[in-house]
Amino acid sequence: MTLTGRIDSVVLDAPDIDRLTTFYAELAGWRVAERDSDWNTVETGDGRRISFQLAPDHVAPQWPGQEHPQQFHLDLQVDGIEAAAARAEQLGATRLATGPSWITLADPAGHPFDLCQKDGLGEATQLFAVTIDAPEASSLARFYADLLGLEVTYDGPEGALVAGEGSSVMFQNVAEFTAPDWPDPARPQQFHLDIKVEDLDAGQARALELGARRLEGGGKTFRVFADPVGHPFCLTVNG
């Protein structure tokens, strides 16, 4: 039995999950795979899953400050960032910043995301990575690489990248990092990862060995943890 997991879904909290589901489906052309009263999911063109979890009292991040930090963002690759940004704004996004090859916007729930230039994509929109904030990106990258059975493919002054088997997760250094403290509403999570494992007991033992801590909550098919810097994640099994 393998003790590593795989990312089943990146989960964003939002007060209106139908609006956020429609936003990303229309912006990126992703397929709506699941709709429920408190949980929706879209699938990217390469089969990765982005889910939206109902959080009626959601407190939106206020990037770039750390009073209400973003905690993470999605990096989307497009060919033509200005046209893509204009389309995102028509769908309800707000432009936050512009760089030489990227534009940062906030989605309708306030989560920042980046549109990054990649030549030759045509009209496609690709999910490059979910990027997670950290006080020390290198060590958090090693934690997730070990938990997910991935490789650290880049480790530099601004951050780190782990990748493999169709997944890529980036970690960026953030000065004065403020961690979530789920379920405290004063320091809410903005997202979490659902990580599928073969066995919850074995997965839990591995996660704790690597430096995670168990949090309240869970059920027959999932358990809730915090990574070494406080980001919640769930280990899940098939029901």
Side-chain angles (χ1 to χ4, degrees), residues 206-227:
R206 179 62 172 161
L208 296 178
E209 176 188 16
L210 293 172
R213 58 186 172 88
R214 181 78 187 270
L215 298 179
E216 296 180 3
K220 182 178 180 181
T221 61
F222 73 100
R223 295 176 189 172
V224 186
F225 301 84
D227 69 23

Side-chain angles (χ1 to χ4, degrees), residues 64-80:
Q66 282 294 298
E67 184 175 352
H68 299 290
Q70 66 172 0
Q71 302 175 16
F72 91 113
H73 69 271
L74 299 177
D75 284 311
L76 308 181
Q77 294 177 322
V78 296
D79 188 353

Side-chain angles (χ1 to χ4, degrees), residues 39-228:
W39 185 280
N40 293 345
T41 298
V42 297
E43 286 189 353
T44 69
D46 59 1
R48 285 182 280 182
R49 292 161 56 87
I50 309 293
S51 296
F52 310 98
Q53 175 175 262
L54 182 64
D57 299 323
H58 176 250
V59 178
Q62 297 176 9
W63 182 88
Q66 282 294 298
E67 184 175 352
H68 299 290
Q70 66 172 0
Q71 302 175 16
F72 91 113
H73 69 271
L74 299 177
D75 284 311
L76 308 181
Q77 294 177 322
V78 296
D79 188 353
I81 56 175
E82 282 293 345
R87 175 165 172 72
E89 289 176 296
Q90 290 176 350
L91 292 170
T94 302
R95 187 182 294 226
L96 301 177
T98 302
S101 60
W102 50 264
I103 295 174
T104 301
L105 302 101
D107 68 24
H111 301 295
F113 65 96
D114 282 347
L115 295 173
C116 307
Q117 178 65 33
K118 184 177 180 181
D119 296 342
L121 282 180
E123 297 183 357
T125 299
Q126 291 184 348
L127 173 62
F128 174 64
V130 54
T131 298
I132 300 176
D133 290 356
E136 209 284 300
S138 181
S139 61
L140 193 61
R142 290 193 296 272
F143 167 82
Y144 278 103
D146 289 342
L147 183 64
L148 298 169
L150 304 178
E151 297 290 332
V152 178
T153 58
Y154 174 78
D155 193 349
E158 74 282 8
L161 173 68
V162 302
E165 298 184 0
S167 293
S168 54
V169 185
M170 294 183 66
F171 303 87
Q172 67 176 6
N173 289 312
V174 173
E176 301 179 359
F177 171 79
T178 300
D181 189 20
W182 184 89
D184 183 354
R187 293 171 58 189
Q189 69 174 11
Q190 295 294 339
F191 88 112
H192 73 271
L193 298 179
D194 274 354
I195 298 172
K196 186 162 287 187
V197 294
E198 294 182 7
D199 179 88
L200 281 178
D201 289 335
Q204 173 172 311
R206 179 62 172 161
L208 296 178
E209 176 188 16
L210 293 172
R213 58 186 172 88
R214 181 78 187 270
L215 298 179
E216 296 180 3
K220 182 178 180 181
T221 61
F222 73 100
R223 295 176 189 172
V224 186
F225 301 84
D227 69 23

Side-chain angles (χ1 to χ4, degrees), residues 5-21:
R6 64 173 180 83
I7 296 176
D8 183 61
S9 192
V10 179
V11 185
L12 286 67
D13 283 6
D16 186 341
I17 60 174
D18 287 331
R19 184 184 183 195
L20 205 57
T21 301

